[in-house]
Amino acid sequence: MNPQYILVEKIERVGLIRFNRPKALNALSPELMDELGQALEAFDADPDIGAIVLTGNERAFAAGADIKAMATASAAEMLLNDLIARWETIHHIKKPIIAAVSGYALGGGFELAMACDMIVASESAQFGQPEINLGVIPGFGGTQRLTRAVGKALAMEMVLLDRRLSAQEALQYGLVNHVYPVEIYLEEALKLAQKLAGQAPVAVRLGKEAVNKAFELSLHEGLAFERRAFQILFATEDQKEGMAAFIEKRRPQWKGR
């Protein structure tokens, strides 16, 4: 893989992916999304990586999808080519993903951030779904994840009237985990990712899956999934190590099995 639209690096046990289309405010072109999917899958398969961070630059996380790539498309072309399908890769990644957001996170950029497991924002971050100004609506979960996060009233205002949220408002509504000054937001996101990477890998994987199931299943079904995941973890070496370390008052040494 020799990506042109993203930058990829490993920092200890964290995989860092930076969007690299600064002149286009990191607009999420089909080519960029293809490269992102490949990078995510590579990190997910790498046993030396425990967590992933997605970021842009201080001016923009991503200012939306690449409008030029779809401006003249017909409905049939959108159905047959399914430009949104390449975005689905992020849903299949088993390791935790943190979006480190500064500046604009609009349209598809906001949707991509919401598809991550956590969001660390800079004080300059701005979140919104401005698709209504283009005569369309969000197409990668914006109406669904946003409504679950902030409720119907605010979601309606954001989707139908292009209401934007500041970083502090996003924190207030539970859309982001932390807000930091622009100078340190990425550093803090990487610290959070390193902490995640230091947890028991199998438990992290099942914990992520169980939380996500809360948005997909009924309470009864979700509780059943959680209980089974809890029970399955007692077949892992890490469960034995974690509980032994607790009793012996020492740090556990995770093996990921």
Side-chain angles (χ1 to χ4, degrees):
M1 179 180 174
N2 185 25
Q4 300 180 52
Y5 303 105
I6 62 173
L7 301 174
V8 180
E9 63 180 304
K10 296 181 182 180
I11 302 175
E12 296 180 22
R13 286 183 45 77
V14 172
L16 175 61
I17 303 172
R18 300 176 190 256
F19 307 133
N20 189 34
R21 297 189 69 204
K23 293 182 179 179
L25 295 178
N26 294 324
L28 303 172
S29 66
E31 295 79 11
L32 185 153
M33 294 305 299
D34 284 340
E35 292 181 1
L36 174 60
Q38 293 173 44
L40 286 171
E41 288 176 338
F43 280 143
D44 206 32
D46 188 341
D48 294 327
I49 294 296
I52 302 167
V53 172
L54 300 186
T55 194
N57 53 44
E58 291 183 1
R59 188 181 178 198
F61 174 74
D66 192 333
I67 304 305
K68 292 180 181 178
M70 63 181 77
T72 61
S74 67
E77 288 171 332
M78 292 300 289
L79 285 168
L80 294 174
N81 296 332
D82 200 359
L83 294 176
I84 300 298
R86 53 177 37 92
W87 294 54
E88 296 294 329
T89 302
I90 196 169
H91 296 151
H92 306 302
I93 301 303
K94 299 176 178 64
K95 294 173 182 175
I97 305 172
I98 298 172
V101 177
S102 187
Y104 298 113
L106 303 176
F110 185 23
E111 291 174 296
L112 186 62
M114 287 192 290
C116 294
D117 302 301
M118 301 182 194
I119 301 176
V120 172
S122 84
E123 292 173 336
S124 73
Q126 181 182 144
F127 301 91
Q129 299 289 172
E131 290 89 345
I132 196 72
N133 299 325
L134 304 175
V136 293
I137 65 170
F140 183 59
T143 63
Q144 304 303 301
R145 291 190 182 90
L146 183 60
T147 304
R148 284 168 167 79
V150 305
K152 176 183 175 181
L154 182 56
M156 283 289 189
E157 194 172 355
M158 294 182 71
V159 171
L160 302 184
L161 291 171
D162 188 18
R163 161 81 182 275
R164 308 284 176 92
L165 295 182
S166 68
Q168 288 299 332
E169 287 176 314
L171 181 65
Q172 173 188 339
Y173 286 108
L175 277 166
V176 308
N177 297 81
H178 304 282
V179 176
Y180 295 104
V182 174
E183 296 77 16
I184 63 170
Y185 83 99
L186 181 55
E187 175 186 345
E188 293 296 331
L190 289 168
K191 286 181 183 178
L192 183 60
Q194 294 291 1
K195 289 181 69 174
L196 281 168
Q199 304 290 73
V202 182
V204 167
R205 171 176 170 174
L206 287 177
K208 167 177 171 168
E209 192 172 354
V211 171
N212 283 330
K213 290 295 183 184
F215 293 95
E216 302 168 4
L217 304 175
S218 68
L219 178 60
H220 176 75
E221 294 169 322
L223 289 170
F225 181 91
E226 177 192 76
R227 187 177 305 114
R228 184 58 55 86
F230 172 75
Q231 293 164 343
I232 286 172
L233 286 167
F234 280 76
T236 65
E237 292 181 28
D238 281 348
Q239 174 269 324
K240 302 297 184 290
E241 167 63 11
M243 293 191 177
F246 176 83
I247 293 168
E248 296 165 10
K249 295 181 171 57
R250 60 175 175 82
R251 292 178 63 86
Q253 301 296 315
W254 308 123
K255 296 181 180 179
R257 59 180 185 266

